[in-house]
Amino acid sequence: MSEFKPLRSVLYMPSANERALEKAKTLPADAIIFDLEDSVSPDAKVGARAAAAAAVQSGEYGRRQLIIRVNGIGTEWHDDDIKAAAAAGPDVVLVPKVNSAEEVHALVDALGAAGAPEKTKLWAMVETPIGMLNALSIATASERLTGFVMGTNDLVKELYAEHVPGRQPVITGLGLALLAARAAGIVIIDGVYNDVKNIDGFLAECEQGRQMGFDGKTLIHPGQVEGANTAFAPSEQAVEDARGLIQAWEDGKGAGVVTYNGKMVESLHVESAERALSINEAIQALQG
């Protein structure tokens, strides 16, 4: 039905940790972020950079989408990270704290100058107040930019807010980024959930993220992968309803009002149903 690739579970792995990189080959995550930033200490940055590049080029991660998160613009490691990532050719280069369209232009130019293949896209982390307020201009700055990742921990810090169930303090920021991403037609991945032992809290936040419209969730622990995969996939009932709704629409063409399960069906409902089937088909292809 489409070339859609699921991004239900996007797992950060510290690139300085050889065991973590090895374990990532066995996990059912839709995407792996080989991290060079927060999870890597300054003295391990250079080695982590080489390890991430080698992992991307190894061909040992199956169908998972491979992402390298570089250190931020203006840090001492950024330029060399961009060059190494461009040479490795992952699916995505993820850059923290992108705050403006101008920064996107500079990043795109740097990837091009470093010889990044066309398949290597740029994703921006949106995690500051100015980034949220500039979200639409960031999202539309370049065709190479195809995704947002929410940095909710940094946003909470910069707002002087608190982590609370339901995430009310950051709902405005999440909404601004979602609006921009959907207006621009790019992917948007929800932020991490910090308390890895609180399974119920994690699943509730996954459900909230799916209901809001996120494509998936960034994760910090392998134990979170299964929950995210389930939460961001259409349920069996949703797939069955989508098929039934589309059939009712086809059968009722020219009949004026079309209903399914007692509810009126319009073209917008058909589009939503087709999207659900597209996601389900892509997930089934991964599992096949």
Side-chain angles (χ1 to χ4, degrees):
M1 197 175 275
S2 76
E3 290 298 312
F4 178 88
K5 292 183 179 179
L7 287 162
R8 301 163 295 169
S9 49
V10 182
L11 178 64
Y12 287 104
M13 281 298 198
S15 293
N17 185 331
E18 186 178 339
R19 287 181 60 193
L21 299 188
E22 193 65 30
K23 184 176 181 61
K25 298 174 185 177
T26 69
L27 297 170
D30 288 339
I32 302 293
I33 297 175
F34 299 106
D35 190 26
L36 305 180
E37 196 210 11
D38 286 344
S39 67
V40 180
S41 63
D43 61 347
K45 297 281 191 188
V46 174
R49 181 189 299 145
V56 164
Q57 293 177 307
S58 71
E60 295 175 358
Y61 289 85
R63 297 183 183 182
R64 298 167 188 83
Q65 293 195 61
L66 304 183
I67 302 163
I68 294 179
R69 179 168 75 165
V70 300
N71 286 281
I73 298 167
T75 64
E76 62 186 279
W77 308 284
H78 175 78
D79 291 347
D80 287 338
D81 284 353
I82 288 286
K83 290 172 185 173
D91 296 298
V92 172
V93 174
L94 173 62
V95 182
K97 293 184 177 63
V98 176
N99 289 324
S100 68
E102 290 73 25
E103 289 183 351
V104 174
H105 297 152
L107 290 164
V108 168
D109 288 347
L111 286 170
E118 189 176 333
K119 70 155 189 153
T120 297
K121 304 306 181 183
L122 174 67
W123 283 6
M125 292 202 70
V126 187
E127 49 189 337
T128 62
I130 191 63
M132 301 291 172
L133 293 169
N134 287 338
L136 182 58
S137 62
I138 293 170
T140 56
S142 169
E143 289 188 1
R144 190 160 210 162
L145 191 143
T146 61
F148 275 174
V149 173
M150 303 309 301
T152 42
N153 283 335
D154 276 275
L155 183 62
V156 166
K157 175 178 76 73
E158 297 215 11
L159 291 175
Y160 311 141
E162 296 180 16
H163 291 282
V164 297
R167 299 191 289 182
Q168 191 59 41
V170 295
I171 285 291
T172 298
L174 295 175
L176 286 170
L178 271 161
L179 286 165
R182 294 303 172 223
I186 66 173
V187 162
I188 183 165
I189 309 298
D190 199 1
V192 300
Y193 186 80
N194 299 313
D195 185 357
V196 296
K197 294 183 179 178
N198 183 354
I199 302 302
D200 289 343
F202 169 70
L203 294 177
E205 196 165 289
C206 284
E207 181 72 2
Q208 179 199 38
R210 183 190 62 76
Q211 290 174 346
M212 288 183 71
F214 287 103
D215 293 294
K217 193 161 184 66
T218 43
L219 312 173
I220 56 172
H221 191 276
Q224 296 176 325
V225 171
E226 185 178 342
N229 280 349
T230 300
F232 286 93
S235 66
E236 287 185 20
Q237 185 63 52
V239 171
E240 183 179 324
D241 286 344
R243 288 181 177 137
L245 186 149
I246 291 169
Q247 188 62 54
W249 179 258
E250 293 293 329
D251 292 345
K253 276 185 176 176
V257 176
V258 176
T259 61
Y260 176 69
N261 282 349
K263 297 178 182 178
M264 191 170 73
V265 177
E266 299 180 47
S267 59
L268 63 91
H269 302 124
V270 177
E271 289 176 16
S272 295
E274 288 173 340
R275 181 175 184 272
L277 293 185
S278 179
I279 293 170
N280 182 64
E281 184 179 89
I283 291 168
Q284 297 304 316
L286 280 179
Q287 295 169 344

